[in-house]
Amino acid sequence: MKKIIEKDYQSLSEKAALLIKEEIEKNPSLVLGLATGSTPLGLYKKLIEMNKKGEVDFSQVTTFNLDEYLGISSSHPQSYNYYMHKNFFDEINIKKENVFIPHGETENPEEHCKWYEKKIEEKGGIDLQILGIGGNGHIGFNEPGSSFSSSTRVVSLSKETIEDNSRFFEKKEEVPKKAITMGIETILKSKRIILLSSGENKKEAVKKAFKGKVTEEVPASVLQTHSRVTFLLDEKAEDF
Ligand code: GLP
């Protein structure tokens, strides 16, 4: 695995944007896997800026988001659907039909998960997957204990994740208890993976993922088994 250390959040975001731009230049119809959370916000801001200046073109790019809360409407301000449109898609020249995010309000979650997995395959698989990391080492919503051979499915969120994510909701009780997430195997099928992490509170999780034991108890540690992974960190997230 490769490790890139940037001085701070700003330069980490700029570097991530640059890496994506390079991939799109090489392959204008890139299939890009995207993440939510606070970490990629700077990256999206930078990509919007570059797109408006004509430096990067999303007109042929397809995107697949990692996850979505279950039982939440796409117009709910805390849904990942809403987040992605507000913070990224509404501001760039991507075609709406090329944007895929799991539906939080699906009537048949199991069928929907199968459909999502098939759609990724149909589009030729994910070329570049962007990941964040949870404080407990989760990727997407694959919590500790998730099977390394899991595919897109419905999962229950851990207490720690509900606690962590309650900062975005008015009350902790409002945080959905379930979600749809790409599986670990789905993520591992991506041709290239870039994990972003910034700040001191992720230090332990990042260290375990990068050089700890490969175990289902630390989902991100599975990345050590992939041939093309980059950890893009700022100085505060790195101490090893
Ligand atoms: C959520 C998302 C993850 C994300 C994680 C970290 O739980 N499902 O995909 O990586 O949060 O979020 P943040 O970047 O806000 O720390």
Side-chain angles (χ1 to χ4, degrees), residues 33-37 40 44 48 63-68 79-92 99-101:
L34 294 173
T36 52
Y44 296 145
I48 292 169
T63 64
F64 284 95
N65 262 80
L66 277 171
D67 48 14
E68 175 61 290
S79 76
Y80 288 167
N81 223 288
Y82 183 89
Y83 166 113
M84 285 308 302
H85 284 91
K86 176 164 173 282
N87 295 307
F88 195 37
F89 298 137
D90 288 352
E91 306 291 333
I92 58 168
V99 165
F100 296 91
I101 308 175

Side-chain angles (χ1 to χ4, degrees), residues 105-119:
E105 280 190 304
T106 168
E107 287 190 355
N108 191 337
E110 271 70 35
E111 273 308 307
H112 183 61
C113 292
K114 279 190 206 148
W115 175 85
Y116 201 71
E117 196 75 29
K118 232 176 88 200
K119 207 74 204 165

Side-chain angles (χ1 to χ4, degrees), residues 4-177:
I4 301 177
I5 316 296
E6 291 289 334
K7 188 166 73 28
D8 53 22
Y9 180 67
Q10 177 68 19
S11 41
L12 173 147
S13 304
E14 286 170 11
K15 178 72 181 175
L18 211 65
L19 292 174
I20 292 179
K21 172 186 148 83
E22 281 169 11
E23 291 288 339
I24 297 176
E25 272 165 7
K26 277 188 259 167
N27 173 12
S29 352
L30 193 79
V31 179
L32 183 58
L34 294 173
T36 52
S38 48
T39 310
L41 282 172
L43 157 67
Y44 296 145
K45 210 170 143 215
K46 188 71 202 164
L47 285 174
I48 292 169
E49 240 176 74
M50 289 161 68
N51 184 242
K52 290 204 190 300
K53 284 194 210 152
E55 294 169 0
V56 60
D57 176 20
F58 291 96
S59 63
Q60 293 176 65
V61 171
T62 296
T63 64
F64 284 95
N65 262 80
L66 277 171
D67 48 14
E68 175 61 290
Y69 292 115
L70 192 63
I72 208 169
S73 92
S74 54
S75 58
H76 188 293
Q78 296 311 332
S79 76
Y80 288 167
N81 223 288
Y82 183 89
Y83 166 113
M84 285 308 302
H85 284 91
K86 176 164 173 282
N87 295 307
F88 195 37
F89 298 137
D90 288 352
E91 306 291 333
I92 58 168
N93 71 329
I94 195 159
K95 294 196 183 99
K96 295 294 175 259
E97 66 265 31
N98 289 343
V99 165
F100 296 91
I101 308 175
H103 287 196
E105 280 190 304
T106 168
E107 287 190 355
N108 191 337
E110 271 70 35
E111 273 308 307
H112 183 61
C113 292
K114 279 190 206 148
W115 175 85
Y116 201 71
E117 196 75 29
K118 232 176 88 200
K119 207 74 204 165
I120 297 175
E121 269 172 45
E122 257 174 50
K123 296 282 175 185
I126 293 169
D127 295 307
L128 170 61
Q129 176 67 55
I130 302 298
L131 293 178
I133 183 168
N136 60 5
H138 75 227
I139 44 177
F141 268 134
N142 293 285
E143 298 282 26
S146 295
S147 162
F148 284 169
S149 55
S150 52
S151 53
T152 303
R153 69 202 187 288
V154 174
V155 292
S156 296
L157 303 184
S158 72
K159 261 195 182 155
E160 192 180 345
T161 298
I162 292 176
E163 189 69 46
D164 279 357
N165 290 2
S166 63
R167 67 198 143 117
F168 300 113
F169 291 80
E170 273 177 28
K171 291 189 221 132
K172 198 168 114 189
E173 300 72 62
E174 285 178 19
V175 185
K177 310 278 180 295

